[in-house]
Amino acid sequence: MSLSLLFLLSTGITRAQSVPTPKEHFGFNIGDNYQLATYSQTEAYFKKLAATSNRTKLVDMGRTEEGRTQWMLVVSSPDNIAKLDHYRKISQLLAHAEDITDEQARALAAEGKAVIWIDGGLHATETVGAHQLIETAYTLTSRKDAETMRILDNTIILLVHANPDGQELVSNWYMREAKPEKRSLNSLPRLYEKYAGHDNNRDFFMANLKETQNMNRQLYIEWLPQIMYNHHQAGPAGSVVAGAPYRDPFNYVFDPLLMTSLDAVGAAMINRLNVEGKPGYTQRTGSTFSTWYNGGLRTTTYFHNIIGLLTEIIGSPTPSEVPLVPQRLIPDGATPNPVTPQKWYFRQSIDYSISLNYAVLNYATRYRDELLYNIYKMGRNSIERGSKDYWGLSPKRIDAINTAYQNDQKKNAAARGSQALSTEAPGGAFRQGGVPVKYFDSIMKDRATRDPRGFILPADQSDFPTATKFINALVRTGVLVHKATADFTINGKKYPAGSYVVKTNQAFRPHVLDMFEPQDHPNDFRYPGGPPVAPYDAAGWTLAYLMGVEFDRLTEDFDGPFQRVPYGELQQPAAQPAKASAGYVLNSAANNSFLVVNDLLKAGAPVFRTKEGGNGYAAGSFFVPAGGKAKGIIEKGAAEYGITSATIAKRPAGLKPVKQLRIALWDTYGGSMPSGWLRFLFEQFHFDADVIYPPTIDSGGLSAKYDVIVFVGGAIPAAGGEGGGRFGGGGFGGPQNDSIPDEFRGRRGRITADKSVPELKKFLEAGGQVVTIGSSTSLAYHLKLPVRNALVEMVNGEEQRLPNEKYYIPGSVLRASIDSTQKATWGLPTACDIYFDASPVFTLSPDALAKGTVKPLVWFTNGKPLRSGWAWGQAYLQGGVTAFEAQVGKGKLYAFGPEITFRAQTHGTFKMLFNQLIGVAE
């Protein structure tokens, strides 16, 4: 052996032996009572590990929303670390499943290393997550036992901090008390992610947030792991941890191999805990978590053939209790090894988490080649399904089969003059023998109902910049996109160069379908005639619908002058700047026009609105006179924001001057997620706004400071049992004691009927505008406007809200009609898709309608508005108004029942808000 080799080996041993323990770095052991590490301390520790261990590589994923570096610590054997690029390429090749044979895939699987993602800290108040990540990093870089060494040889572990800003805020908040027993995670003064708070785990198909973008790039562009493990809190009462496998329904676009793989890994996790004598793991119906929803850090991975794991564990730096929940003490399939009531300590949760991490890593080690080959197989299956006629199974198609059979039964019975014998058993199932196969063939071989082969997004649509944002959401999640290099014609329709094409013959076909096609949630009830089982988060979210994207769905194979967009390459919606004569026209149908208008107004350039549309431009479009500062801003709008401006030789008649408004946005102590998302939107579209809190409203004098005040869902309390919607009402208020720092005390309090509403009424009567969204539309009831709840029935002579057994619409996409001639809805089509989540629906007074003091803006024309999701009893919506404007003195109240700015995803309805934020002279 050479001296140089001996030196390298001895150096490597020295590095491995000098890995600092957490106590040496932090001053306490991870899991000690009343102790939390900040992100600054964690970042420094990860840097020490990278400097002292040859098992690591520290990767800068990008900046957070608050400007911190978001790190990923890659851990594996030294040999694997030296060949990371090679193994990453193998992972990419197998996940994309393109241009390789089964034989080549098996060879790559035999050569490759299983890539396992383990994250922590996404929800910062769930403090186990970030701290188990620290302990896992130390364990994997310091231990030398046979299992750890086998794991390092066979896997590449991506340890990802999911929310640096949140850990810094929460840990500092907890540790601010000198006396440990006084430390508490309660009463955090603001959101633990700058804009989204807890909703940061609902951003992963949209990727608005920088942290999401950083993680998505590693997940779907760079590494494409075979397993990802997302740590959360807290487990259901009476358990320790909830985990895989999860309850039904699962999303029907998944490959079945994904679901059985979840079962296998889940079994490895619970088995390990049982071997180690750690009770309290619950699964399936033991918790509320499912695999239906897309958009979470864990759940979006399913649509990419990745085995996504979630655990929700109990535990806090402050000791707690496992409560007595008697029904959980009976062992069953959900909880085979119950935990008994006891005192619970933070370190126990850390120990459980390490055991679960090792269970996953040990599984990946033992089934390394199988995991690698299986992700290829699922991708290959997707490519094949997208390359031929295919019909996916879903509740609507099965209902169609049942309906076709039952209709024939009725016809046969009528022909015979008697009741036909039914093979249907109670509950909708069929007795032994089933129904004739021809009914399956009539639905599942009907060429008119085939799954799509692809989608075309024309470049000449009215809001192509928003369509490009949709394309970028797909690109950020690893979807393969093509762009037309020349004009082309398909099925007699001509498309311009620059149009985008998304085909379904790709590995991530499940995600493509989920973004373009409706979600078909089953009618899920606890028992026949009983209450519905709420979906985990949403039932429907089809992003192309919510963003108002125009696209054509093709069921035959097609081709054209299409250029492949490299994976991960974001698209820029550049347009050619117009040469002005009299001036420029910016289409109000394009959201980015409002951004450009805001820039123009801030620069002092004159802007006007046209009442009538024409020549491809919608009503309320913007006219900008040529000259001055306009030219440079218009050119920037074309180059950076894709806004096409038309030039006209003559100034239009009937123009109304536009002005900036003084905008206020409600928020509350602790932070409102809907308000945070709206802050994000205001910044993206260059609206200036003050964030105000209940004390500012209660102090009065609002007209002297603001022209328009916006209240998102959750701000205004319900009035007399009315209101409703996703976010309840009344805000959080915050602690009413002196335990919080002075800088946050002015945020305390709630919107109240006796103090806040009278001031809002004064503001309106003086000429102000108030925009209410979701449950905050209950302000209309507080003001005693001539509107009432449309979703009621008469019971014993009294009006009562419809029960869930009759009417139930969780988060879903509905189609609504719009009066686009009104200023409030300029730029919108006469019908659009809205995000509806138990949202308010109104009946307007006929007298007020006749007088014009209340005007409907958005309503349901028919009783079948569901586009995507689940709408039980949707017929009750027919004729109901879900948005209106009302005159209140000299001012106006705008009430939008749907979530028109939901999670900054619903671009198709942003203009319902934006129109109210641009002043137009009457």
Side-chain angles (χ1 to χ4, degrees), residues 507-646:
F508 301 156
R509 177 179 182 269
H511 192 68
V512 173
L513 293 178
D514 206 59
M515 295 294 96
F516 280 99
E517 298 275 277
Q519 285 77 48
D520 183 13
H521 195 283
N523 290 322
D524 190 10
F525 293 92
R526 296 191 187 281
Y527 50 84
V533 178
Y536 183 68
D537 199 83
W541 52 83
T542 306
L543 188 59
Y545 294 175
L546 292 177
M547 293 187 72
V549 174
E550 298 172 27
F551 65 90
D552 289 324
R553 178 184 191 270
L554 283 78
T555 56
E556 298 281 358
D557 193 19
F558 63 99
D559 209 349
F562 307 148
Q563 183 178 54
R564 180 184 176 119
V565 174
Y567 285 116
E569 185 177 284
L570 297 175
Q571 301 299 289
Q572 180 69 28
Q576 291 298 317
K579 294 181 180 179
S581 180
Y584 311 88
V585 178
L586 306 179
N587 194 352
S588 64
N591 288 342
N592 279 1
S593 291
F594 290 84
L595 182 160
V596 176
V597 165
N598 280 329
D599 288 351
L600 289 163
L601 293 175
K602 290 174 186 178
V607 181
F608 301 84
R609 294 198 85 166
T610 63
K611 185 175 181 181
E612 305 295 333
N615 297 321
Y617 286 82
S621 289
F622 300 95
F623 172 74
V624 183
K629 300 177 181 178
K631 184 175 183 292
I633 296 172
I634 293 292
E635 289 177 349
K636 181 180 178 181
E640 296 185 16
Y641 308 121
I643 289 300
T644 301
S645 54

Side-chain angles (χ1 to χ4, degrees), residues 94-316:
L94 290 171
H96 290 145
E98 298 174 299
D99 303 324
I100 57 174
T101 65
D102 285 4
E103 184 179 3
Q104 290 170 324
R106 288 197 183 278
L108 288 169
E111 180 186 357
K113 305 298 179 182
V115 181
I116 311 302
W117 169 293
I118 298 175
D119 64 55
L122 184 67
H123 289 159
T125 51
E126 300 167 11
T127 52
V128 172
H131 288 75
Q132 64 78 28
L133 199 68
I134 298 168
E135 188 73 5
T136 300
Y138 170 66
T139 301
L140 290 171
T141 53
S142 63
R143 278 174 51 171
K144 300 176 184 177
D145 58 279
E147 182 183 34
T148 299
M149 301 309 289
R150 188 171 61 246
I151 286 170
L152 294 172
D153 285 342
N154 287 278
T155 70
I156 294 168
I157 305 128
L158 312 178
L159 299 178
V160 178
H161 200 297
N163 183 6
D165 298 342
Q167 185 187 0
E168 192 75 7
L169 171 69
V170 169
S171 294
N172 281 326
W173 182 256
Y174 182 82
M175 297 296 290
R176 78 191 193 282
E177 290 285 354
K179 188 175 182 181
E181 291 76 13
K182 291 184 67 177
R183 292 172 183 164
S184 172
L185 294 169
N186 295 333
S187 304
L188 200 68
R190 62 179 177 88
L191 296 173
Y192 54 64
E193 195 286 333
K194 183 177 180 180
Y195 302 106
H198 194 87
D199 261 1
N200 64 352
N201 198 27
R202 303 297 185 269
D203 186 48
F204 284 86
F205 64 64
M206 190 73 210
N208 277 315
L209 304 171
K210 290 178 180 177
E211 298 90 346
T212 310
Q213 294 168 10
N214 296 339
M215 289 186 279
N216 274 7
R217 181 158 194 90
Q218 299 302 323
L219 276 168
Y220 306 122
I221 308 299
E222 297 292 339
W223 276 105
L224 300 118
Q226 292 78 55
I227 299 177
M228 76 82 63
Y229 184 179
N230 182 214
H231 282 262
H232 278 273
Q233 290 185 261
S239 72
V240 173
V241 58
Y246 310 100
R247 70 174 178 89
D248 288 334
F250 63 78
N251 199 295
Y252 306 116
V253 298
F254 296 159
D255 192 294
L257 180 55
L258 178 74
M259 303 312 299
T260 53
S261 298
L262 260 177
D263 290 347
V265 183
M269 296 168 78
I270 192 171
N271 282 347
R272 179 139 189 158
L273 292 186
N274 288 338
V275 166
E276 295 179 359
K278 293 174 175 150
Y281 188 105
T282 191
Q283 57 191 351
R284 299 192 189 278
T285 56
S287 73
T288 61
F289 309 108
S290 75
T291 52
W292 175 258
Y293 175 66
N294 196 340
L297 176 50
R298 162 191 62 114
T299 58
T300 302
T301 63
Y302 299 139
F303 299 83
H304 297 75
N305 305 318
I306 296 170
I307 302 167
L309 302 172
L310 162 78
T311 53
E312 298 264 351
I313 197 167
I314 64 173
S316 165

Side-chain angles (χ1 to χ4, degrees), residues 686-912:
H686 301 184
F687 287 101
D688 292 334
D690 289 346
V691 177
I692 63 172
Y693 297 88
T696 299
I697 293 169
D698 292 349
S699 64
L702 297 171
S703 297
K705 294 176 279 189
Y706 304 113
D707 300 306
V708 57
I709 305 174
V710 182
F711 292 96
V712 295
I716 307 293
E722 297 291 359
R726 182 174 182 267
F727 296 101
F732 305 106
Q736 298 304 307
N737 54 45
D738 295 330
S739 65
I740 61 172
D742 291 343
E743 63 181 302
F744 300 117
R745 291 185 185 181
R747 302 181 180 186
R748 294 181 297 182
R750 299 171 182 265
I751 300 296
T752 60
D754 60 339
K755 202 167 184 179
S756 313
V757 171
E759 295 300 333
L760 293 174
K761 187 177 181 182
K762 292 177 188 175
F763 173 72
L764 283 162
E765 289 174 339
Q769 297 181 86
V770 172
V771 180
T772 57
I773 301 170
S775 67
S776 288
T777 57
S778 61
L779 182 60
Y781 299 126
H782 286 287
L783 295 173
K784 303 190 185 311
L785 297 181
V787 301
R788 61 185 181 84
N789 188 350
L791 301 174
V792 295
E793 63 179 356
M794 297 301 294
V795 178
N796 298 324
E798 292 186 0
E799 204 173 68
Q800 295 185 7
R801 302 181 75 172
L802 290 166
N804 285 349
E805 289 82 356
K806 291 185 177 181
Y807 169 83
Y808 180 72
I809 306 181
S812 296
V813 185
L814 307 186
R815 190 76 170 172
S817 297
I818 299 173
D819 182 357
S820 56
T821 66
Q822 300 294 326
K823 171 189 167 294
T825 50
W826 275 346
L828 288 156
T830 56
C832 82
D833 295 318
I834 59 173
Y835 188 78
F836 190 95
D837 190 359
S839 301
V841 181
F842 306 91
T843 299
L844 310 186
S845 159
D847 184 57
L849 284 171
K851 293 178 180 177
T853 55
V854 178
K855 297 178 181 178
L857 299 174
V858 184
W859 63 92
F860 297 108
T861 303
N862 59 59
K864 292 184 177 181
L866 178 65
R867 286 270 278 163
S868 180
W870 185 18
W872 182 254
Q874 61 179 313
Y876 286 104
L877 294 174
Q878 184 165 357
V881 173
T882 195
F884 65 87
E885 67 174 64
Q887 195 75 35
V888 182
K890 297 178 181 179
K892 284 186 179 178
L893 171 72
Y894 296 93
F896 294 98
E899 299 297 334
I900 59 173
T901 59
F902 187 66
R903 293 173 177 161
Q905 296 169 1
T906 55
H907 288 246
T909 50
F910 285 174
K911 287 184 282 289
M912 293 184 188

Side-chain angles (χ1 to χ4, degrees), residues 4 6 26 41 47 82 104 110 220 237 395 428 468 484 533 578 599 604 665 672 695 728 779 884 909 913:
S4 60
L6 279 170
F26 296 102
Q41 294 169 325
K47 288 179 178 179
Q104 290 170 324
Y220 306 122
T468 306
V533 178
D599 288 351
L665 170 64
S672 154
L779 182 60
F884 65 87
T909 50
L913 174 63

